[in-house]
Structure formats: C-alpha cells, structure tokens
Amino acid sequence: MRNSGFLCLVLCSLLLCSGCTPNALYRKNFSLCQADKEDCSSNSVIHYAQGSAREFYLGFTEFDDQGQAYTREQAENLIQTYTELAGDEDIILSVFIHGWHHTAKAGDSNIESYQKLLGDIAANENAMAPLLNRKPRKVLGVYLGWRGESLTTPVIHHLTFWDRKKVAHEVGLQGVTEVLVKLEQIVNVQNTRTPLHDSRMVSIGHSFGGAVLFTSLQQLMVDRFFDSRPGKSFQGDARGFGDLVLLINPAFEAMRYSTLFDIAQDQCRRYFSSQMPRLLILTSEGDDATGTAFPAGRFFSTLFESHKHLSRYECADGKAQVRKIRESSADRIAVGHFTPFHSHVMKPQDKAIAGDTMAQLLKLQLQWQAQDNKSTLDFSTVKLTHLGKTTSFNPYLNVYVDKKIIPDHNNIWGESLTQFIQEMVLVTTNNEATMRAGLTPAATQP
C-alpha cells in the first residue's frame, strides 16, 4: 500500500512537471534586430517600422522566480542600447510588466498587444510634434518578463494563484527596481541637457505584473512624495516614478496601498493645479479574478492573522472626515475592489468625441487644471468622474471601471481603454510642452 501511494505521488509529480513552464531565458540574442528584415523571436532589442510614423523600439529584460535577472548582460545591454539611442534626442520610454499566465516568449498575446500600443503612441507623437515646435520623440518600449506561468496543464494551471502571487512580490522586491531606476536615469539625464529637453517615462503593470511594479516602487514613491533631500522646501508638486505609473486590474491587496493613500489624504492636504497624476489604478467591475477569486484566496492565507479597525480621512466637500475601515477587509480585498480607497469611476462616453488629437489634449489639460472633487474629465471614449472622497489633484487615482470598457481580468486591450491610455500618456508627457508653446484649443483650429 505504501509503495502504491509513493508511486501515485511520483506519477502526479511527473504529470505536473510535464506541464511546467521552462525556468529559462527566452531572449538570448542581445543584438539589435530589425523586425522588417529579420526573425527577431529570440532578440532582446527589436526595431519596428523603421522610417514610418509608427516607428518604435522594444527591449526585453527577464527575471527568474527569485527576482534575479537571468543574466545581467541582457539588462545591461538594453540600458546601454537605449542610452545610445537617446543620444541628444528626446524620448518617450514605456515599460510594461505582464501578469499571470504570460511570459517573454515570442508570440505571447501581451507582447503583440503592447507592440500595437507603442506604435499608436509613436503615431500620436509624430502627429503632434510639429504643433509643439519640436522633433518627434523616439518611442522606446521595455517588456519586463518573469515566469508568470509555472504550469501549462489546462485547468491545473489555475491552481498556481498563491505561488505566482508570492513570486510576483519576490520579483518586485529584488532586481526589478534596479532596472527601472536605471531606465528612469536615461530620461532624467536627457532632461538635464541644454537646450531644454522633454523626455518622459510611463510604466504599466497588469494583474500580478501590477503587483511586481507596485512592490518594486512603493517605498521609492513614499520617499518621492515627501522628497526629503537637503535644501528641499515644503512647496512643490508631489513627485512619483517617471511621469506615470499605471496599474491595470492589479492583483494585490488594498492593505499594500494604504500607506500611499494615507499620505496623500492626510488632513485632506491640498495640491497645486500643476500637480499631475503619478499613480493610476484601473480595475474592472467585471474582473472576477481580483474581485472574487482573489479575496477567497486571501481569506485562507490570512485566516490566523489579527486585524483591527483603522481610521482614515475622507475629504467630502473639502472637509476632513474620519471614516472607519476594516483592516481585515483591506488585507483580503484587491486594491481596485476596495470601495473606501476608490477615488474615481470610469464610464463610456455616451458618444465618442471625435476631432483633432491636439485639441483633445489641450481640452483635457484645461479640464485637469480646473478640476474640483466633483469634476468629470472627458476623454475621447471614456469619462473619468471624481467621487468627491479625495482632494482635487490628488496624485494617486484608484478608479473603478465599467465592464463595457474593461470586460474582465485579461481583456485589457480594447479600443476604449487603449485610447484612454494613449491620451493619458499624452496629458502626462506633454503638459509642459503645450504650456511653453502657448497653445490653446482655439489655436489648433484651422
């Protein structure tokens, strides 16, 4: 009987291992590859659509389950290549970190969707640059890969939730921060040069990739909110990482976000109208993975932990009001589904707003600068409405999204959302340039 039990265990182990995702590097060729001319499936830096309005670069850097780079040479080559590509030119640097069930393997659907997004950003940049009296900025993308899928066996692979969540936070705590900061350094060095440079950086994380990104940047963002460097005055806008950190259906508990929520809401502090969003969390009401499965999983993993009630500020009508929240709920419910931390809701536009991209950008910037805590921002395909619980210009937005815009956990590349992302990138990366150019919506009309 013992032998049969042991044999059963061995057979089950072999079955699981037969469906294991390789714990290995996918992008082994570190040379720059021209996608229009070569097979780039194993390259870690790729040049797309050379010479066209949709031209962009996409680089890969990959991490193992312990959060270590598979090889430092891959990351170092990417940093060096992008530093050289930047040269004396302005850039838009974008990072995407994939979530559960994805990797950096060629053909992954996230890679293909991210390529399209980068091409769209490049097309918008090329269309607007002449109106801003500058050259189009190069678009440099980075796909940060990790082992988001540990098993490929159908059905069984859904049981890897707890394992992959743990790994996502481990990856975020280790080598990812180093790579992100080095990428940000490329942008910051560009912006110290004269004449005035206008390079920008936007980082995006989905699902457990949102957990990777948030974990890697959480403490850094706390430091930059206060900015305690010598000689710092108490006036000025809150800084973040790069220009914008965007989390889509992030799979981590609200408790991890509580520190940023607290410091941004403390005594209902006020912000200048020049304050731009630094962290944007988007969660679909139709996301059952983080809405139902996540709290169920967290219930068992926190069963024997002690919790209490917490006091938090809510800023209705600009007045600080203390609200009690259940710590146990914040520790089990995903950040995007935790109602006390919601700042906005996103709904589809009744009718999509058509027209000139530059005019839409300027309109959004004016709406942002004139907002109060009951305002609605009109993007082309969606409207973003303030719930009145946080102060105006709070740099951290936690948005509950209509399922018509994001249908579920993985369907994040629909036209409405990608159009919103493009416009948010434009707003956060062109604010200073449009003000310097002295443009107004009327100035863009024929």
Side-chain angles (χ1 to χ4, degrees):
M1 188 64 118
R2 286 183 179 179
N3 289 338
S4 63
F6 177 75
L7 179 60
C8 181
L9 179 62
V10 170
L11 289 174
C12 287
S13 298
L14 289 174
L15 176 63
L16 290 175
C17 288
S18 67
C20 286
T21 302
N23 187 11
L25 188 71
Y26 287 107
R27 304 287 173 162
K28 301 177 181 179
N29 187 336
F30 304 152
S31 62
L32 178 62
C33 183
Q34 299 294 334
D36 298 336
K37 304 175 183 178
E38 309 169 68
D39 175 10
C40 301
S41 57
S42 65
N43 288 80
S44 61
V45 186
I46 307 171
H47 187 188
Y48 289 89
Q50 184 178 9
S52 79
R54 299 182 63 84
E55 181 177 10
F56 66 91
Y57 293 81
L58 177 58
F60 294 81
T61 179
E62 302 171 62
F63 294 84
D64 65 20
D65 282 4
Q66 281 66 51
Q68 304 300 307
Y70 278 108
T71 168
R72 291 187 66 84
E73 185 182 356
Q74 184 191 53
E76 289 168 355
N77 178 74
L78 172 64
I79 300 297
Q80 180 61 35
T81 300
Y82 276 12
T83 300
E84 293 173 358
L85 284 172
D88 290 327
E89 296 187 58
D90 286 345
I91 61 172
I92 296 178
L93 180 56
S94 170
V95 177
F96 178 79
I97 306 180
H98 66 78
W100 199 15
H101 305 313
H102 293 275
T103 66
K105 184 178 181 180
D108 188 287
S109 60
N110 272 191
I111 298 175
E112 294 172 350
S113 297
Y114 185 47
Q115 289 170 351
K116 182 180 183 304
L117 178 63
L118 292 172
D120 290 343
I121 292 173
N124 278 329
E125 175 64 18
N126 274 276
M128 292 196 317
L131 297 173
L132 296 173
N133 300 316
R134 59 167 168 74
K135 291 175 58 178
R137 292 172 290 188
K138 283 183 179 177
V139 175
L140 308 181
V142 177
Y143 186 94
L144 195 150
W146 60 289
R147 199 162 165 252
E149 183 76 284
S150 55
L151 294 175
T152 58
T153 306
V155 181
I156 294 177
H157 77 295
H158 291 298
L159 300 177
T160 62
F161 170 87
W162 292 274
D163 168 57
R164 291 302 92 188
K165 182 181 187 301
K166 175 179 177 294
V167 168
H169 292 299
E170 188 71 24
V171 172
L173 285 171
Q174 299 300 324
V176 171
T177 306
E178 177 192 353
V179 171
L180 290 175
V181 171
K182 285 183 175 178
L183 289 168
E184 186 190 42
Q185 187 177 43
I186 298 174
V187 173
N188 289 344
V189 168
Q190 284 295 96
N191 289 339
T192 62
R193 294 175 176 168
T194 53
L196 190 63
H197 281 254
D198 199 23
S199 293
R200 292 291 183 263
M201 181 177 185
V202 176
S203 304
I204 306 170
H206 169 240
S207 183
F208 284 144
V212 173
L213 183 58
F214 186 78
T215 302
S216 68
L217 297 177
Q218 181 181 4
Q219 296 306 316
L220 185 149
M221 293 184 73
V222 170
D223 173 75
R224 292 185 178 182
F225 182 92
F226 293 108
D227 195 359
S228 59
R229 69 185 186 273
K232 170 68 171 63
S233 72
F234 284 100
Q235 293 189 343
D237 292 336
R239 298 166 58 233
F241 178 78
D243 293 276
L244 179 67
V245 174
L246 172 60
L247 309 179
I248 307 174
N249 289 336
F252 61 87
E253 54 274 23
M255 203 69 228
R256 292 179 180 268
Y257 173 63
S258 62
T259 298
L260 288 183
F261 178 86
D262 291 346
I263 62 177
Q265 282 286 98
D266 188 36
Q267 298 290 338
C268 293
R269 65 169 79 242
R270 302 180 67 180
Y271 299 90
F272 296 111
S273 62
S274 57
Q275 176 69 61
M276 299 302 293
R278 296 303 183 187
L279 174 66
L280 177 60
I281 301 172
L282 303 178
T283 300
S284 170
E285 62 180 1
D287 182 4
D288 292 334
T290 59
T292 303
F294 186 93
R298 287 293 295 167
F299 174 81
F300 291 104
S301 60
T302 62
L303 190 59
F304 299 105
E305 295 183 9
S306 174
H307 298 93
K308 61 182 187 298
H309 280 80
L310 302 172
S311 297
R312 293 295 183 266
Y313 285 109
E314 190 173 286
C315 304
D317 299 319
K319 299 178 181 178
Q321 301 178 3
V322 177
R323 296 283 187 258
K324 296 288 186 180
I325 66 172
R326 292 168 59 91
E327 190 177 45
S328 58
S329 298
D331 202 22
R332 291 167 183 163
I333 298 175
V335 60
H337 292 279
F338 191 61
T339 305
F341 286 173
H342 286 167
S343 65
H344 295 72
V345 292
M346 182 185 290
K347 301 286 185 181
Q349 286 284 6
D350 297 328
K351 183 179 181 181
I353 300 173
D356 179 76
T357 302
M358 177 58 75
Q360 175 63 9
L361 167 64
L362 292 167
K363 177 183 175 182
L364 281 169
Q365 289 178 341
L366 291 173
Q367 283 188 343
W368 178 265
Q369 292 163 10
Q371 70 172 284
D372 57 33
N373 67 346
K374 295 180 181 178
S375 295
T376 294
L377 299 177
D378 290 309
F379 292 82
S380 294
T381 56
V382 304
K383 47 189 174 183
L384 188 64
T385 301
H386 205 298
L387 291 174
K389 297 192 295 184
T390 59
T391 51
S392 303
F393 305 104
N394 188 314
Y396 307 141
L397 285 65
N398 188 9
V399 183
Y400 206 46
V401 182
D402 192 296
K403 60 185 177 182
K404 293 178 183 177
I405 300 168
I406 307 179
D408 50 44
H409 184 67
N410 290 312
N411 191 0
I412 65 169
W413 301 102
E415 183 178 348
S416 290
L417 184 65
T418 53
Q419 180 65 29
F420 166 77
I421 293 173
Q422 291 172 53
E423 290 180 4
M424 183 57 79
V425 170
L426 291 175
V427 169
T428 56
T429 62
N430 284 286
N431 191 43
E432 294 177 13
T434 53
M435 288 192 296
R436 285 199 305 269
L439 293 173
T440 65
T444 67
Q445 301 303 312

